[in-house]
Amino acid sequence: MSPDPVGIWLIGAWGGVSTTAVVGLAALQHRPASETALVSALPAFRLLDLAEWGRFVVGGHEIRRTGYALEARKLHDESRVFSRELLSGVSGPLDSFDRNVRTGTLLGVGRTIESLASDDARATSGERPREAIERLSADLNAFREAHNLAHVIVVNLASTEPTLDEDLTGLTWQQLSDRLNHNDPLLPASSLYAISAMLAECSYLNFTPSVGSNLPALDELAREQGVLHMGRDGKTGETLLKSVLAPMFAARNLKVLSWVGHNIFGNMDARVLDDPVNKASKARSKDHLLTEILGYKPQTLVSIEFIESLADWKTAWDHIHFEGFLGTQMTMQFIWQGCDSLLAAPLVLDLVRFTEREWRRGTSGVMTHLASFFKSPMGEHIPPEFGRQFELLLAWAAEAAGKSPDG
Ligand code: NAD
């Protein structure tokens, strides 16, 4: 008998990264498709018995009314990704996944994200936080029942929210829950989605810099509910390079004097990040790494600019000024040009596969072994260097496959 299907529930279901992940998944399910860029397809993970691509079913929450075929066509037209042949070959599965998308919540998202919403999402704006949580949880339970799913993994791929005004790290789940019962609008949508997921016994991954489940109270809830969670902010481009290059400067005792990174791109994510309150969350997530790796703080500047004509193509230009032997100053520069959604989508599919595997092991709480996928990984004692983070994943895989870490 074949194993039960597994649900992937995308928050921001029709956004650029979600659409690309869904097109990629449908291609892997229905056509001969390359597994290049999928970490979970590496030989190191072959013995893990990861779920086959064909087992996954997609659903999600959105605040705009559109559809996968339309959004994929836009990516094709504006950013020259996906062949027409690929898109026509996956149109059936895309339509069936569209039918599983439900209206999300706008609570705590801020004005810029609200301005994207269609009427059905705006109509929910009178909901109290507790009512929103109940509705979103009910959507997840209905998805699980309708498709007979063994487990559902919720992935936050929604637009980046403004930072929190209040420090909520001192609250227990009971205290947070009491405040929600009293209609206290303290949490942004990303955290309301995380709570809804956990209450519906789903695991939760946060690919964005928004707060999501990154609160001690929500880790407590995850453990209570026996589910897994991890975040934040997918590490796909410039920060990936920083986490690889900064350890080299440290190991060669080269003193980094300044590190300037300018990022330009033109998709909807960039449009939202053009609002300074949303941008602050992203810039913070990109900037903390160097001090952690180097052990001192060089002068840094991170800029993120919306340049519409570039669409989904992001260019990062980094200028690293450093001091070498006998005080001689030198420079390294790099230019990274990548298609944002195509860099992120395979990682989303990997994260879901690794989470499903860990869920079968019966653990709960933060999945620190997934740190290499995130710019600001959750959990304690996580090394900031990419290489050491990847070793955590390899060690986990060896353990999960029942081998010693040395093979
Ligand atoms: P996008 O703007 O194309 O998609 C975001 C989607 O979320 C939109 O469809 C929007 O309507 C929807 N949305 C917004 N608020 C919502 C809510 N409260 N509930 C439900 N849906 C909501 O952005 P994207 O390029 O797909 O990126 C998605 C997220 O991933 C962003 O937060 C981005 O910062 C993060 N991220 C992307 C990359 C990458 O693309 N390489 C890397 C790291 C992190």
Side-chain angles (χ1 to χ4, degrees):
M1 205 172 76
S2 57
D4 285 340
V6 176
I8 306 179
W9 188 267
L10 304 170
I11 314 291
W14 286 318
V17 177
S18 291
T19 299
T20 308
V22 170
V23 169
L25 177 68
L28 288 159
Q29 290 181 333
H30 298 280
R31 300 169 54 83
S34 157
E35 291 192 318
T36 301
L38 285 156
V39 177
S40 59
L42 285 170
F45 305 111
R46 205 166 277 153
L47 294 178
L48 265 181
D49 182 29
L50 293 171
E52 299 290 335
W53 297 116
R55 282 183 63 199
F56 293 102
V57 181
V58 177
H61 281 121
E62 243 306 338
I63 55 161
R64 296 179 302 130
R65 281 244 62 83
T66 169
Y68 285 116
L70 186 67
E71 292 297 316
R73 187 56 195 267
K74 259 198 232 165
L75 277 161
H76 169 83
D77 293 347
E78 291 170 10
S79 301
R80 307 170 309 284
V81 295
F82 314 135
S83 66
R84 274 172 195 272
E85 189 205 354
L86 167 65
L87 291 184
S88 63
V90 296
S91 63
L94 295 194
D95 289 347
S96 76
F97 292 150
D98 275 340
R99 289 194 280 277
N100 300 329
V101 177
R102 300 287 175 270
T103 304
T105 180
L106 287 169
L107 291 178
V109 298
R111 270 204 210 149
T112 298
I113 298 178
E114 273 168 10
S115 71
L116 304 173
S118 48
D119 290 345
D120 49 353
R122 282 176 208 274
T124 68
S125 57
E127 263 177 344
R128 294 156 185 247
R130 187 56 78 181
E131 288 165 346
I133 289 171
E134 279 165 16
R135 176 172 63 83
L136 303 171
S137 274
D139 290 339
L140 286 163
N141 285 325
F143 177 57
R144 181 176 23 231
E145 274 161 38
H147 299 275
N148 192 30
L149 303 172
H151 188 49
V152 179
I153 298 155
V154 174
V155 191
N156 181 22
L157 286 166
S159 316
T160 301
E161 295 162 351
T163 47
L164 271 187
D165 294 334
E166 186 183 342
D167 181 4
L168 301 174
T169 51
L171 297 186
T172 63
W173 166 240
Q174 189 57 56
Q175 289 165 329
L176 195 68
S177 183
D178 286 347
R179 283 182 61 176
L180 287 171
N181 286 341
H182 288 99
N183 201 19
D184 187 337
L186 76 174
L187 287 177
S190 61
S191 301
L192 300 178
Y193 283 120
I195 294 170
S196 313
M198 290 172 185
L199 292 176
E201 295 179 19
C202 305
S203 296
Y204 174 89
L205 296 163
N206 185 6
F207 205 79
T208 83
S210 306
V211 182
S213 64
N214 191 35
L215 291 170
L218 296 200
D219 186 46
E220 197 188 320
L221 176 62
R223 288 168 191 279
E224 228 174 82
Q225 293 291 102
V227 296
L228 297 155
H229 66 130
M230 186 57 182
R232 300 188 284 165
D233 205 6
K235 186 155 67 190
T236 58
E238 190 205 23
T239 313
L240 175 65
L241 278 162
K242 271 187 183 164
S243 69
V244 170
L245 286 174
M248 176 203 72
F249 285 98
R252 284 291 162 95
N253 199 11
L254 297 166
K255 186 176 178 196
V256 177
L257 303 168
S258 62
W259 193 312
V260 175
H262 289 296
N263 297 271
I264 50 174
F265 61 133
N267 57 20
M268 193 162 58
D269 185 30
R271 191 188 293 274
V272 169
L273 294 174
D274 213 29
D275 182 328
V277 293
N278 301 66
K279 190 184 291 188
S281 302
K282 191 62 139 191
R284 194 175 296 172
S285 182
K286 280 166 107 41
D287 199 33
H288 63 94
L289 191 70
L290 290 176
T291 310
E292 284 172 35
I293 295 177
L294 299 171
Y296 55 87
K297 181 156 177 35
Q299 185 181 354
T300 57
L301 178 75
V302 178
S303 74
I304 304 167
E305 300 302 336
F306 171 54
I307 305 295
E308 194 164 8
S309 69
L310 295 179
D312 206 35
W313 285 87
K314 185 188 270 174
T315 297
W317 166 61
D318 277 43
H319 182 283
I320 306 148
H321 193 208
F322 64 98
E323 186 180 304
F325 196 38
L326 304 178
T328 311
Q329 296 189 353
M330 308 179 196
T331 303
M332 178 190 173
Q333 299 180 52
F334 68 78
I335 296 173
W336 170 265
Q337 283 176 297
C339 180
D340 229 22
S341 301
L342 283 167
L343 287 166
L347 303 186
V348 171
L349 298 178
D350 288 327
L351 282 164
V352 165
R353 252 182 144 190
F354 287 135
T355 302
E356 189 279 335
R357 183 65 185 85
E358 185 61 3
W359 174 77
R360 265 186 279 149
R361 294 179 78 208
T363 68
S364 62
V366 179
M367 293 180 284
T368 49
H369 57 276
L370 299 181
S372 62
F373 290 91
F374 296 98
K375 289 190 191 73
S376 306
M378 286 163 50
E380 285 171 14
H381 313 298
I382 309 260
E385 300 88 353
F386 177 76
R388 291 176 62 203
Q389 292 176 348
F390 193 63
E391 276 168 22
L392 294 179
L393 185 64
L394 294 176
W396 165 80
E399 196 189 308
K403 288 195 303 167
S404 75
D406 310 326

